[in-house]
Amino acid sequence: MRSELGYDRRGFRLMANDQSGLYFIRCFNKHGGAPTEVGFRGKTKEGIALDASLDDVLKTYGKPDAQLDSRSVFYRKRGYEFMFPDQKLVSIQVSPPDPNVDIEVRGNQFIERVKAAN
């Protein structure tokens, strides 16, 4: 069973299921796709907060695992996805890091492939 806990007024949502427990946290502001007045006020452990620029994220995390134009930047091996629809960070998605994933970008989508265990 999948559960979604929405704390939209605080700017975040939690996703969980029976198999993996909590697997996804999405933080957003009023421009990030959900109704909120305040937006999420926290930061990543490296100090990135909503309204940061793409340059801020790239300087902090380096080359992304995948990038869809300047709107979506994926650091799947670290467990982050950053969304920039209008030059400013409006949404951060956090999931369990996966160092064994490879990401291929095709057009405006990305495909994840898990590397075989050695």
Side-chain angles (χ1 to χ4, degrees), residues 25-40:
I25 301 168
R26 184 168 161 260
C27 308
F28 47 84
N29 62 21
K30 64 184 176 183
H31 305 290
T36 181
E37 293 297 317
V38 178
F40 186 72

Side-chain angles (χ1 to χ4, degrees), residues 7-12 26-29 36-44 47-51 92:
Y7 298 91
D8 291 351
R9 290 188 179 190
R10 296 192 180 267
F12 70 97
R26 184 168 161 260
C27 308
F28 47 84
N29 62 21
T36 181
E37 293 297 317
V38 178
F40 186 72
R41 292 183 179 171
K43 299 176 186 181
T44 66
I48 295 295
L50 296 176
D51 290 326
I92 303 170

Side-chain angles (χ1 to χ4, degrees), residues 30-78:
K30 64 184 176 183
H31 305 290
T36 181
E37 293 297 317
V38 178
F40 186 72
R41 292 183 179 171
K43 299 176 186 181
T44 66
K45 67 181 180 180
E46 297 84 3
I48 295 295
L50 296 176
D51 290 326
S53 70
L54 176 58
D55 284 343
D56 293 335
V57 170
L58 295 175
K59 285 177 189 170
T60 300
Y61 296 104
K63 182 181 179 198
D65 299 325
Q67 183 172 348
L68 299 177
D69 56 53
S70 62
R71 294 177 170 235
S72 301
V73 179
F74 301 93
Y75 292 91
R76 188 67 181 93
K77 293 175 183 179
R78 293 177 180 245

